[in-house]
């Protein structure tokens, strides 16, 4: 079966698994590039939220209320903000620690290390705990590493060697060095022949002057001679991938 992916802007991706399960990452519907309205999101089974920042949480609570989706989020963020302030019911919260693994009817979500902040949108809420990234394996074995907002770190070589992602969705916002993104790809290829597709997230459709761009990221990957396909996704276009 195929895994289908859509980039809905910023770090918001929609994955549809081979058996029809829908997984969302960081549903930031207030992004300047977003064209997807809340009422248009009618199905979601799992939402992964990487940290407590406003653009990571996005409309996760509202989407969960509409669809019944479970939200996978760092434990402190889940209890201190999503439960207490956003009123997400306990049954829809999956409280995650770094290193945890969860199975949702054949879709596995691993929670991995991220070097990033996790302050929440509500000043009186507790700190959001550890920021996270996610390694998502679909029913057909196709595996996606969504970095979250992390800085580069050497654990990525372990993720490549252990979990062998087929796709890496790598942070690229205005102040990030595209060389770091390229080095993340190199690390993720450690003992990993599976990595074939690499794409950015967090960037604008048209990055402002001086901001890191997908074109620069692609150029840095080519400088390293890495045998991957770089994808600069179009908003809302559906891409299909097989193992």
């Amino acid at each position: 079966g195929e895994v289908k992916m859509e980039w809905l802007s910023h770090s918001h991706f929609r994955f549809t698994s081979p058996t029809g399960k829908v997984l969302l990452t960081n549903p930031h519907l207030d992004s300047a590039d977003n064209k997807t309205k809340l009422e248009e999101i009618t199905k979601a089974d799992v939402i992964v939220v990487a940290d407590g920042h406003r653009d990571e949480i996005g409309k996760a609570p509202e989407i969960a209320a509409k669809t019944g989706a479970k939200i996978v989020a760092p434990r402190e963020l889940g209890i201190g903000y999503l439960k207490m302030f956003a009123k997400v019911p306990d049954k829809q919260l999956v409280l995650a620690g770094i290193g945890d693994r969860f199975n949702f009817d054949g879709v596995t979500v691993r929670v991995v290390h991220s070097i990033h902040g996790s302050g929440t949108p509500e000043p009186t809420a507790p700190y959001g705990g550890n920021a996270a990234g996610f390694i998502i394996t679909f029913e057909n074995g196709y595996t996606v590493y969504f970095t979250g907002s992390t800085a580069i770190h050497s654990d990525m070589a372990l993720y490549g060697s252990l979990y062998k992602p087929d796709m890496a969705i790598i942070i690229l916002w205005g102040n990030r060095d595209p060389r770091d993104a390229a080095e993340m790809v190199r690390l993720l290829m450690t003992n990993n022949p599976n990595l074939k597709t690499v794409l950015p997230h967090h960037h604008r459709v048209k990055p402002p002057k001086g901001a890191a761009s997908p074109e620069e990221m692609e150029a840095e990957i080519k400088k390293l001679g890495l045998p991957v396909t770089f994808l600069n996704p179009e908003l809302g276009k559906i891409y299909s991938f097989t193992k």
Side-chain angles (χ1 to χ4, degrees):
E2 294 182 331
V3 174
K4 298 185 185 301
M5 183 203 76
E6 301 166 75
W7 181 49
L8 301 179
S9 77
H10 204 65
S11 58
H12 183 195
F13 289 82
R14 174 163 52 200
F15 288 93
T16 303
S17 81
T19 62
K21 298 177 186 67
V22 175
L23 182 145
L24 305 178
T25 67
N26 293 354
H28 181 37
L29 301 188
D30 294 328
S31 162
D33 292 321
N34 177 64
K35 297 180 180 179
T36 304
K37 296 179 181 179
L38 178 61
E39 55 267 27
E40 294 173 338
I41 300 178
T42 57
K43 178 174 173 57
D45 297 290
V46 180
I47 305 168
V48 296
V49 173
D51 61 66
H53 291 177
R54 188 181 302 276
D55 58 330
E56 320 294 339
I57 295 171
K59 298 295 184 185
E62 291 88 344
I63 294 170
K66 284 186 57 185
T67 64
K70 294 186 181 296
I71 301 177
V72 182
R75 176 176 296 275
E76 293 80 4
L77 173 63
I79 295 172
Y81 179 79
L82 293 173
K83 178 180 178 178
M84 293 177 60
F85 288 86
K87 306 302 181 185
V88 177
D90 284 340
K91 65 180 181 180
Q92 288 178 258
L93 281 176
V94 179
L95 304 176
I98 304 303
D100 284 349
R101 178 185 63 177
F102 303 95
N103 188 285
F104 301 98
D105 296 324
V107 177
T108 299
V109 176
R110 296 178 184 273
V111 185
V112 295
H113 176 49
S114 172
I115 302 174
H116 192 61
S118 192
T120 66
E122 172 53 57
T124 62
Y127 189 68
N130 293 315
F134 301 97
I135 296 176
I136 304 154
T137 302
F138 294 95
E139 302 97 328
N140 62 353
Y142 193 84
T143 298
V144 176
Y145 173 34
F146 176 72
T147 65
S149 297
T150 188
I152 189 171
H153 57 77
S154 59
D155 287 356
M156 291 178 180
L158 290 174
Y159 304 159
S161 182
L162 281 171
Y163 308 123
K164 295 179 168 45
D166 301 279
M167 173 190 289
I169 306 178
I170 292 176
I171 177 71
L172 184 78
W173 65 11
N175 295 327
R176 294 295 177 98
D177 190 332
R179 292 179 298 176
D180 288 2
E183 286 294 335
M184 289 183 191
V185 177
R186 183 182 64 79
L187 289 168
L188 289 167
M189 297 193 77
T190 303
N191 298 321
N192 176 23
N194 294 354
L195 187 60
K196 297 294 189 294
T197 305
V198 174
L199 57 153
H201 75 82
H202 247 82
H203 61 292
R204 293 292 308 275
V205 172
K206 294 182 179 180
K209 185 177 181 180
S213 70
E215 291 78 13
E216 290 173 310
M217 178 176 166
E218 181 179 17
E220 293 296 336
I221 291 171
K222 287 181 176 178
K223 285 180 185 178
L224 295 179
L226 302 175
V228 296
T229 297
F230 182 83
L231 175 63
N232 186 4
E234 298 177 30
L235 280 180
K237 181 176 178 179
I238 299 175
Y239 299 85
S240 296
F241 302 91
T242 56
K243 184 66 178 173

